[in-house]
Amino acid sequence: MSAPDSVVAEATGLLAGLRPDQVLLWSGAGISVEGPTSLPSGPELTRRVFDTFFEAGALATVLTYHQAIGLHTNPLCASDISLPAPQLPRLETALDAAARARPGGSPDTFDILDDVRKAAPNRLHAFAAGHIALGGRHVTANFDTCIEHAYETRQGRPVPDGAVHHFHGSFAHSPDSRELGATLSRIQTGFPEDEAERLYQLLRAHRAVIVIGYSGSDYFDVDQLVARLPSDGLRGLRLLWVMHSGHPAHVPDQDTVPLQFLLREAGADVHIVCGRTDQLLTQVARGWGLPAPADPLPRAPADPQLRVTDAERHRASFLLYRSLGLHNEVRRLLRKGGISVDDPVEQRAVCSQLLWEAGAWNTLRRMWWHAPADGPDRHIRAERIGACLWAQGRLLPAWMWLRRQRSKVSDDPAAAYALEETVNRVIEHMHRTPDLRFLGRLLLARMSAAGTHDGIGPGSDEQQRYEIAFRALQDVRDSLDALRRGAPRADHHHAEQSSTWFRESGDLQGMLSYRHRALRDGYRPDNRGAGDEALGESYRQLLTANLFLGSMAGAWRTALLPGAHRVFSVHEFLFALTTLQYGWWHRFRLLAWYLPRRLRHRSTGGRLTPTSGRRGPFHAMRRRMR
């Protein structure tokens, strides 16, 4: 027996002695790629959406940013990809922007999936139908109903109720596609509790699971469901994950997607095989008395045509770049013209985002101060004024303003989240500021005695509706809890989790903001010597990535991280202080914090990291500003 054959035999041996009704099939888009179904793979569909709805070169632009910031795809099977490639933007994020750019969120946006709606089943769907006929059940991420059609063709009757479960919806239940999990706004809050419980019970009701054609990229719902399970939640479950590859069957050295690790953590016995899906299913079919999958038919991919105007393409690109945090691209499109931002509320939102990332907090505060106090964005106005005061280091005025505004929005969960989060950040900042530390500790003690949650906490309905605001609030509460205990935050703190969340959603600026907090939380003052070089590399990578996105504020706030005196020169630190619109007293505070530490570092033989020379981001920025 050859090595690939032995790998297949060992993998299918996991199912020895199990009846078809004891095995759950779990599938993704990969099973619908072969002819005659001929549907696009996930990456192909993403490229189709970009070609259809966005300006020419938009995908290349996003990939350039991903490459620069270090977002790369990990090969599912090492032998399939020789060089790392920049990570594709998330399909659901792109579809969100495309739908919002068209009049009324045009339902015909989802005609881009028209071939999915009309797809014919292929040989892998026929195998799944045969499994169902023997009492098996099937879970799929796919919108198409090819498994159901294959069963009806084979059995002459509809598929039994509950035999096929589409956890992101299907065209059978949502013909207009509005209920499909095809956009970020539909999936980013995770599964409702009843759906999560249903999937968990399906996993627990079976002794084994076969995963085919599935990339494991459902971070927001499937990953979160498995991550919440106890360590023995899937104890005894055997899971065979087939990663399709045109190379001979082999076992990868490690888990290839985070979900596989999470399944192991939940107690499942996970076995991963790279190889041809039909080769493994042939062995499974033989054991169950099913016909082996037939020879594959050639693909005949469709290319649904939609009428998209140039104005819609430009607006979709504009909305996408805003959601990804690509501030330089937003500015480019505004300078280029052709972007209609006629709504004063949207105008303020766009200006607010760009001024904040430019560090022009005084200018931004004046803009919001002159905005209507009773307008539809009045709660955003209230929070942004307070946030600008906080960013400038005017902490006492910020706290007084935000507390007064917070008392006015008890009936608006979204506004309450945002204002409560910023109030908490002000108190956190006070606690870390010598001249206000006493007040920060007093306010923290009062919050602890009174309770800080105000009815908004994990598992609430508001959490699912306002996930981003909830995540920010939980992060700062976690930080305040650590300050109360007088201990550093735990290794699994919210900043790391939130950085991953924003990376998965595609928001690069959000990812970098929480990476900043993770670096702050992870700083250890006693890690000297070789640690200076690692610290300098981390800080300068963060600074450079922010500059690349177009966030001056994100870049030069890096100079305020703990240990900045070990990384940034006096000239660089002064440049950061004078470039961003801090209050004058706060500039004095920061300088008084930095200079003694910098002098002590120099007196003990400390040196800057090699990247602080002429080719560093500081000198590049000075040349750019001349």
Side-chain angles (χ1 to χ4, degrees):
M1 182 182 293
S2 67
D5 290 339
S6 66
V7 169
V8 172
E10 181 180 352
T12 54
L14 293 173
L15 308 176
L18 297 183
R19 303 187 307 273
D21 63 316
Q22 295 175 309
V23 179
L24 177 71
L25 281 186
W26 187 298
S27 67
I31 70 166
S32 297
V33 170
E34 288 187 354
T37 315
S38 302
L39 295 184
S41 64
E44 289 171 341
L45 185 54
T46 299
R47 292 187 175 90
R48 175 196 289 182
V49 168
F50 269 85
D51 290 343
T52 303
F53 293 114
F54 298 95
E55 65 177 2
L59 180 57
T61 296
V62 176
L63 291 178
T64 298
Y65 280 93
H66 284 190
Q67 177 78 26
I69 292 177
L71 297 185
H72 297 102
T73 53
N74 294 317
L76 298 181
C77 292
S79 57
D80 290 339
I81 303 177
S82 55
L83 294 174
Q87 179 179 305
L88 279 171
R90 195 171 190 94
L91 170 65
E92 295 90 347
T93 301
L95 273 175
D96 247 339
R100 287 187 290 122
R102 313 190 75 215
S106 300
D108 70 344
T109 300
F110 295 95
D111 287 352
I112 195 74
L113 303 174
D114 205 41
D115 51 340
V116 180
R117 190 194 313 266
K118 301 172 181 177
N122 64 27
R123 59 181 185 150
L124 301 182
H125 301 120
F127 170 84
H131 172 241
I132 293 171
L134 296 175
R137 301 183 74 176
H138 197 111
V139 170
T140 183
N142 298 343
F143 305 141
D144 65 69
T145 54
C146 290
I147 297 170
E148 291 91 332
H149 291 161
Y151 183 90
E152 291 176 14
T153 300
R154 178 188 180 102
Q155 302 296 323
R157 61 180 185 273
V159 70
D161 289 342
V164 182
H165 180 60
H166 299 259
F167 58 80
H168 283 160
S170 73
F171 279 111
H173 299 100
S174 181
D176 63 359
S177 63
R178 291 183 182 274
E179 299 302 315
L180 298 180
T183 59
L184 188 63
S185 57
R186 291 284 305 169
I187 66 170
Q188 67 179 353
T189 56
F191 289 130
E193 285 304 316
D194 56 344
E195 173 68 12
E197 182 62 22
R198 180 176 184 180
L199 284 173
Y200 176 53
Q201 292 304 327
L202 277 170
L203 290 171
R204 291 297 300 151
H206 293 83
R207 294 181 59 186
V209 180
I210 303 176
V211 180
I212 53 175
Y214 182 61
S215 65
S217 61
D218 289 311
Y219 170 83
F220 296 101
D221 37 39
V222 178
D223 280 30
Q224 300 306 317
L225 162 66
V226 178
R228 292 201 308 266
L229 298 179
S231 58
D232 60 348
L234 298 178
R235 185 73 60 196
L237 180 69
R238 287 174 262 177
L239 193 142
L240 172 59
W241 194 312
V242 183
M243 313 294 289
H244 185 78
S245 169
H247 295 272
H250 62 281
V251 177
D253 294 334
Q254 58 187 1
D255 296 335
T256 56
V257 295
L259 179 57
Q260 293 164 348
F261 171 78
L262 293 173
L263 287 162
R264 293 186 199 276
E265 288 288 291
D269 178 16
V270 180
H271 192 91
I272 308 165
V273 175
C274 289
R276 286 174 40 196
T277 303
D278 61 338
Q279 185 180 14
L280 278 97
L281 292 187
T282 295
Q283 297 298 319
V284 175
R286 184 175 300 156
W288 289 345
L290 292 173
D295 292 334
L297 296 177
R299 292 188 72 191
D303 187 15
Q305 299 295 316
L306 281 79
R307 293 194 56 180
V308 182
T309 66
D310 287 343
E312 289 171 346
R313 289 176 186 273
H314 288 309
R315 179 153 180 80
S317 302
F318 178 71
L319 293 174
L320 179 70
Y321 294 151
R322 282 194 65 203
S323 68
L324 298 183
L326 307 186
H327 314 297
N328 282 334
E329 300 306 316
V330 172
R331 295 184 186 104
R332 176 182 65 80
L333 288 181
L334 289 173
R335 288 194 300 268
K336 181 179 178 181
I339 302 297
S340 176
V341 189
D342 301 324
D343 180 12
V345 173
E346 185 181 9
Q347 285 180 354
R348 284 192 290 271
V350 173
C351 288
S352 183
Q353 183 182 25
L354 294 179
L355 287 172
W356 179 271
E357 298 302 336
W361 300 310
N362 215 34
T363 308
L364 176 57
R365 182 164 55 88
R366 286 196 214 100
M367 184 201 83
W368 279 114
W369 187 259
H370 293 294
D374 57 351
D377 54 353
R378 61 189 180 279
H379 297 320
I380 298 175
R381 171 184 180 271
E383 189 277 332
R384 288 289 84 186
I385 290 173
C388 288
L389 289 168
W390 161 58
Q392 290 184 291
R394 297 173 177 175
L395 303 180
L396 190 56
W399 179 79
M400 295 171 66
W401 168 267
L402 289 163
R403 288 307 300 172
R404 186 165 66 250
Q405 300 302 318
R406 174 68 179 86
S407 66
K408 300 177 182 179
V409 297
S410 57
D411 59 341
D412 187 329
Y417 270 126
L419 285 165
E420 187 71 22
E421 183 233 332
T422 310
V423 170
N424 282 222
R425 294 212 184 278
V426 170
I427 295 172
E428 177 192 29
H429 202 158
M430 284 180 176
H431 201 284
R432 300 178 187 278
T433 304
D435 57 312
L436 290 173
R437 187 166 296 150
F438 174 78
L439 179 58
R441 288 172 176 169
L442 180 64
L443 294 174
L444 193 56
R446 286 178 54 187
M447 289 172 58
S448 181
T452 61
H453 293 281
D454 297 335
I456 48 181
S460 65
D461 293 338
E462 286 81 5
Q463 176 192 351
Q464 292 199 345
R465 294 178 62 194
Y466 310 109
E467 175 68 25
I468 294 176
F470 173 83
R471 187 168 290 280
L473 179 56
Q474 285 299 106
D475 172 72
V476 70
R477 283 177 173 168
D478 185 58
S479 183
L480 290 175
D481 286 342
L483 289 175
R484 283 193 195 95
R485 299 191 309 269
R489 292 215 276 183
D491 291 339
H492 57 279
H493 55 68
H494 289 283
E496 289 281 8
Q497 296 171 349
S498 293
S499 182
T500 301
W501 191 93
F502 281 104
R503 184 192 71 223
E504 292 291 334
S505 68
D507 183 348
L508 304 184
Q509 188 61 66
M511 178 191 75
L512 293 182
S513 296
Y514 280 95
R515 186 180 292 174
H516 177 108
R517 289 183 66 81
L519 287 172
R520 186 200 70 184
D521 296 337
Y523 175 74
R524 297 294 178 266
D526 56 347
N527 186 14
R528 299 186 181 278
D532 281 0
E533 185 171 345
L535 187 74
E537 183 176 356
S538 298
Y539 283 14
R540 292 183 181 281
Q541 282 179 352
L542 179 63
L543 189 154
T544 305
N546 273 292
L547 287 179
F548 196 75
L549 293 186
S551 175
M552 185 80 73
W556 292 109
R557 281 177 58 248
T558 308
L560 307 186
L561 282 167
H565 60 283
R566 297 161 55 185
V567 177
F568 298 103
S569 70
V570 174
H571 286 299
E572 289 173 311
F573 194 82
L574 290 174
F575 181 82
L577 287 191
T578 55
T579 299
L580 307 182
Q581 290 180 359
Y582 294 115
W584 286 105
W585 176 246
H586 195 51
R587 283 175 175 160
F588 174 77
R589 275 189 196 123
L590 295 173
L591 200 57
W593 166 83
Y594 168 84
L595 279 178
R597 289 167 174 79
R598 178 70 192 139
L599 291 173
R600 281 198 301 270
H601 184 64
R602 290 294 301 272
S603 67
T604 57
R607 295 182 300 173
L608 296 178
T609 56
T611 56
S612 62
R614 292 186 175 276
R615 292 177 293 177
F618 169 65
H619 295 276
M621 178 54 62
R622 289 184 64 180
R623 286 197 302 272
R624 189 182 306 175
M625 296 180 69
R626 285 172 182 167

